[in-house]
Amino acid sequence: RHRSLNYPYIGPEDELIVLINMRGIPERRFVWLDERGTAPNSYPAGRVLPLTEPPAIGDGTPHGAYYWDLSTTEMWVKMKGGLNLEVRKENAVKVSTTLAVSVSDFYD
């Protein structure tokens, strides 16, 4: 399944922050840049690593900078005018476990 989104026009030197709500779907999301999405002072083509906090306008982060919040399933993505990017997903499994011992017994 393929989804295509169109954004408002922004000039070549302008920046846009897009907030995408993934509606509780826990799959891991990331930004992928191909050659059309790269520019000087930008990430190289390929998978972009996430930031530790959401990008902002004028913060110096390049096109494709993003922050993925698994707890809210929201993704902040910085776009710059005239450049392309893809938001991709990969399957993820969230695993948790409980132990049938108390905390004090665990550390003894």
Side-chain angles (χ1 to χ4, degrees):
R1 189 171 186 179
H2 176 75
R3 291 187 186 192
S4 178
L5 301 173
N6 295 309
Y7 297 99
Y9 172 79
I10 54 175
E13 301 299 320
D14 295 332
E15 299 177 338
L16 173 70
I17 301 294
V18 179
L19 174 59
I20 305 168
N21 185 330
M22 299 298 182
R23 299 183 165 254
I25 301 170
E27 295 153 331
R28 198 171 11 241
R29 306 291 171 154
F30 62 93
V31 169
W32 181 270
L33 298 176
D34 62 15
E35 290 75 26
R36 297 172 298 154
T38 60
N41 301 321
S42 181
Y43 295 112
R47 186 177 183 146
V48 177
L49 296 176
L51 301 173
T52 57
E53 59 186 26
I57 300 292
D59 66 357
T61 56
H63 170 74
Y66 76 97
Y67 173 74
W68 168 243
D69 186 344
L70 179 60
S71 64
T72 63
T73 64
E74 292 179 332
M75 184 177 200
W76 287 262
V77 181
K78 179 183 269 189
M79 299 179 72
K80 292 194 176 184
L83 299 174
N84 299 316
L85 62 79
E86 295 177 20
V87 173
R88 294 185 177 183
K89 71 176 185 171
E90 60 188 1
N91 294 332
V93 177
K94 192 173 183 179
V95 178
S96 66
T97 186
T98 58
L99 299 175
V101 296
S102 68
V103 173
S104 60
D105 289 343
F106 180 80
Y107 288 106
D108 284 339

